[in-house]
Amino acid sequence: MDIVTLAPYATFAILLLALLNFLLNMKDRRNKQEIETRKNFLNHTAWTNEGDINSQEFNFITLRIHDISSYIFNGTIEYHTFEDDHIKNKNLVFYFRKSSGNSIYITVRETNGYQEFGEHKAKLKRINPELFHLNFKSSIFRRKANFDFQLPSELKIHPVDGYKVNDDSNSNHDKKLLTNDIINAISPERNYDKVKELLGIPDKTIEDHSVFEDDDIRKDDKQITSDLYFLKNAYLKVTTLDKVSIYSLTVFGYGSDISLPDIHYIGEISRNESSVAIVDEEMLNGARFASIRTMRDSATAIQHRIGPPFYKCLTYFVHGYIDDDEDYNSLIGREIIGFCISDGDMSFYIYDYEMR
């Protein structure tokens, strides 16, 4: 064949190579976008739409990411909405499905602490490293998938201050691990100075109040002070009445499960199939109860007195508040999210705003 005959074939080959090169470059670009999008999103463990002055929404969410080191990460969504002049709180969980380019796709389900139900699909689209567009889409299987409330169709979310993963001031690298030995060493009635000796300076120090309203300490002209520690595996609140001795310890573990300590005056704890600590019928016998309800918190306190020789009070905290006329048996099976060991009747919860 002469050059004239080969020319069309050469032109076609050049065009084909150019097309393949274009497609490969596009794929490489999308892969880089995907990596960068995941990095930006997982660089903060909490995102919210609260504080967006340009938004007309009266619904607020806080999305908290767990297992950030895993490719298939998951987490929780706290959803707060105003309905009929009342604030209603919903607890949701989400699971990573896939990512593509500058978008991350998740599955969202409602939870009551021990069961998951309903299903929505959602897409997180990166606008910039500090801003994502969150779009909710209902499943096509509407009878099985719909929640008993309406999620907003779309929101813009930004990082919550203090939850940046690679921020040295918030890094877990130098934080201590809460162990049974530490809990025993700083248990109620121990010296208050022992806490700083073992754990250092607290992340926060606040004035506090008991979840049981009839325990108001002001009648004794004493001020309740609580120190908060954001440890590697848990939130810890140490409460004192006189800054001499420890009155109580409150522990909330990270993630969806709470590891109750190996303390001799805590009895056997029931667990579900996923080994999550849950409320059983025995835990309700002889207990007193208090509902905890704020714009971002919804929980119930279950308290027991522990007799001789320990003379302590143990309070379990579980997901979801109960109304005054609601049967306490509705708490059976709910997940235990934390506990408080105290020297008296007062018990102290760790509120969402205190974790910020």
Side-chain angles (χ1 to χ4, degrees):
M1 292 185 180
D2 55 25
I3 295 177
V4 176
T5 306
L6 291 173
Y9 296 99
T11 302
F12 176 76
I14 291 170
L15 291 173
L16 182 60
L17 287 172
L19 178 61
L20 289 173
N21 185 58
F22 173 77
L23 293 175
L24 289 172
N25 284 336
M26 287 292 293
K27 183 178 180 181
D28 183 60
R29 181 184 176 188
R30 288 186 67 83
N31 287 338
K32 288 180 178 179
Q33 280 184 333
E34 180 178 337
I35 293 171
E36 192 65 21
T37 298
R38 283 181 59 91
K39 179 182 177 182
N40 293 155
F41 184 62
L42 298 178
N43 200 30
H44 302 272
T45 57
W47 294 76
T48 185
N49 70 318
E50 190 172 357
D52 182 2
I53 60 174
N54 296 314
S55 174
Q56 300 300 314
E57 281 286 346
F58 292 98
N59 303 313
F60 302 101
I61 71 163
T62 299
L63 185 151
R64 301 183 187 277
I65 307 169
H66 305 154
D67 300 327
I68 61 173
S69 60
S70 172
Y71 180 78
I72 306 176
F73 58 86
N74 60 75
T76 58
I77 298 175
E78 300 154 12
Y79 178 54
H80 314 281
T81 184
F82 292 91
E83 295 181 15
D84 302 324
D85 296 325
H86 294 286
I87 299 171
K88 294 189 177 180
N89 305 307
K90 295 291 182 180
N91 293 313
L92 310 171
V93 293
F94 72 87
Y95 300 93
F96 170 80
R97 287 194 296 128
K98 65 178 182 178
S99 56
S100 177
N102 61 359
S103 296
I104 296 172
Y105 299 85
I106 58 176
T107 297
V108 181
R109 298 190 180 105
E110 189 176 359
T111 181
N112 56 13
Y114 62 97
Q115 287 180 321
E116 295 177 9
F117 42 91
E119 185 172 297
H120 276 252
K121 306 298 183 185
K123 181 174 77 170
L124 291 149
K125 185 174 181 180
R126 183 182 62 167
I127 300 174
N128 61 53
E130 300 289 312
L131 189 65
F132 276 74
H133 184 272
L134 175 59
N135 179 263
F136 289 100
K137 293 183 178 180
S138 299
S139 168
I140 58 173
F141 303 105
R142 299 189 64 85
R143 286 183 297 176
K144 294 182 179 179
N146 273 7
F147 298 160
D148 60 357
F149 60 94
Q150 185 67 41
L151 283 169
S153 59
E154 56 184 44
L155 296 167
K156 288 181 180 178
I157 58 174
H158 54 84
V160 177
D161 290 340
Y163 286 83
K164 190 171 183 180
V165 174
N166 62 0
D167 185 348
D168 291 338
S169 65
N170 191 54
S171 173
N172 276 341
H173 181 71
D174 297 323
K175 291 186 178 180
K176 290 186 178 292
L177 189 72
L178 186 64
T179 64
N180 292 335
D181 289 340
I182 291 178
I183 290 178
N184 285 324
I186 59 173
S187 58
E189 293 188 287
R190 295 293 181 90
N191 194 301
Y192 176 62
D193 291 336
K194 190 71 175 176
V195 184
K196 289 184 180 178
E197 179 185 323
L198 292 174
L199 299 176
I201 298 174
D203 292 278
K204 281 186 175 182
T205 298
I206 60 174
E207 292 186 15
D208 217 338
H209 62 277
S210 171
V211 299
F212 296 99
E213 294 181 359
D214 54 339
D215 292 334
D216 194 344
I217 197 65
R218 284 177 297 179
K219 62 186 179 183
D220 294 330
D221 293 324
K222 293 182 179 179
Q223 180 177 332
I224 304 172
T225 302
S226 289
D227 291 334
L228 281 155
Y229 289 88
F230 304 157
L231 303 174
K232 187 174 291 187
N233 60 333
Y235 293 106
L236 171 67
K237 175 181 279 191
V238 182
T239 303
T240 179
L241 307 184
D242 54 14
K243 297 187 179 181
V244 175
S245 62
I246 298 168
Y247 179 83
S248 69
L249 296 180
T250 304
V251 178
F252 278 30
Y254 294 149
S256 60
D257 189 18
I258 174 69
S259 296
L260 297 174
D262 182 20
I263 300 178
H264 37 260
Y265 50 78
I266 293 184
E268 189 69 23
I269 300 297
S270 297
R271 294 183 178 273
N272 62 16
E273 295 177 354
S274 301
S275 296
V276 174
I278 59 173
V279 176
D280 58 19
E281 186 174 356
E282 184 179 354
M283 191 179 291
L284 303 181
N285 294 333
R288 72 166 177 162
F289 305 87
S291 283
I292 300 163
R293 188 178 181 184
T294 70
M295 181 175 179
R296 292 183 171 276
D297 300 282
S298 177
T300 300
I302 306 172
Q303 186 182 78
H304 285 271
R305 291 177 179 268
I306 301 167
F310 306 110
Y311 296 104
K312 297 287 186 290
C313 283
L314 175 61
T315 304
Y316 299 101
F317 299 109
V318 302
H319 272 309
Y321 70 90
I322 53 174
D323 293 319
D324 293 337
D325 57 350
E326 189 174 349
D327 187 353
Y328 291 125
N329 286 323
S330 64
L331 297 172
I332 295 175
R334 292 194 191 182
E335 175 189 347
I336 299 172
I337 58 174
F339 63 90
C340 176
I341 305 168
S342 57
D343 193 38
D345 292 339
M346 291 188 296
S347 181
F348 300 91
Y349 185 78
I350 303 178
Y351 293 89
D352 178 85
Y353 68 86
E354 295 174 346
M355 301 178 189
R356 298 172 183 270

